């Protein structure tokens, strides 16, 4: 499954439920058993979150930065590197979501980032770098 932006992300952004400048974002890691669907809207729709030493359920912070690109008529959103130290885990992808600090059914999904293959760390640092920004273009 390629990486994707969830359908609800643009709708939530337009309606003011997501503000990339001020909201808190996190990334959870998922196994290859999770099948991403553009129609998933809330963190509670995501299944098969990884578990293991050094990984906390609910994931880690993934700070967002917005950059307006007037030349290409788009808004680029990048996320900071997030990592889990001394982690023993295997993940296929990461899911970025807006964290409201409570129930998974309240947290809005943003994007699914496919690693292309299972990635494993054994008592080491598991880092995720998102090389391409999310793009909202008109």
């Amino acid at each position: 499954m390629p990486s994707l932006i969830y359908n609800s992300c643009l709708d939530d952004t337009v309606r003011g439920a997501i503000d990339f400048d001020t909201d808190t974002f996190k990334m959870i890691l998922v196994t290859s058993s999770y099948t991403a669907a553009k129609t998933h809207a809330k963190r509670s729709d995501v299944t098969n979150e990884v578990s293991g030493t050094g990984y906390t359920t609910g994931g880690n912070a993934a700070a967002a930065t917005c950059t307006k690109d007037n030349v290409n008529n788009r808004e680029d959103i990048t996320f900071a590197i997030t990592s889990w130290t001394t982690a023993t885990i295997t993940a296929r992808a990461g899911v970025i979501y807006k964290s409201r600090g409570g129930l998974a059914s309240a947290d809005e999904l943003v994007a699914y980032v496919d690693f292309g293959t299972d990635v494993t760390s054994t008592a080491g640092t598991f880092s995720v770098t998102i090389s391409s920004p999310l793009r909202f273009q008109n």
Side-chain angles (χ1 to χ4, degrees), residues 41-107:
K42 302 292 185 182
R43 184 166 56 102
S44 56
D45 293 327
V46 178
T47 59
N48 298 295
E49 183 174 0
V50 303
S51 63
T53 304
Y55 182 82
T56 303
T57 301
N60 277 357
T65 302
C66 299
T67 306
K68 184 176 6 177
D69 181 345
N70 287 321
V71 173
N72 295 300
N73 301 310
R74 67 182 184 221
E75 186 77 19
D76 290 344
I77 302 157
T78 55
F79 291 88
I81 296 169
T82 190
S83 60
W84 292 263
T85 57
T86 321
T88 301
I89 51 177
T90 299
R92 171 53 68 86
V95 174
I96 300 169
Y97 69 94
K98 174 184 172 175
S99 175
R100 292 187 174 269
L103 297 175
S105 59
D107 294 338

Side-chain angles (χ1 to χ4, degrees), residues 1-5 36 38 93-94 111-116 134:
M1 158 103 336
S3 297
L4 59 83
I5 297 173
K38 288 183 76 69
Y112 169 83
V113 182
D114 192 329
F115 303 153
L134 302 180

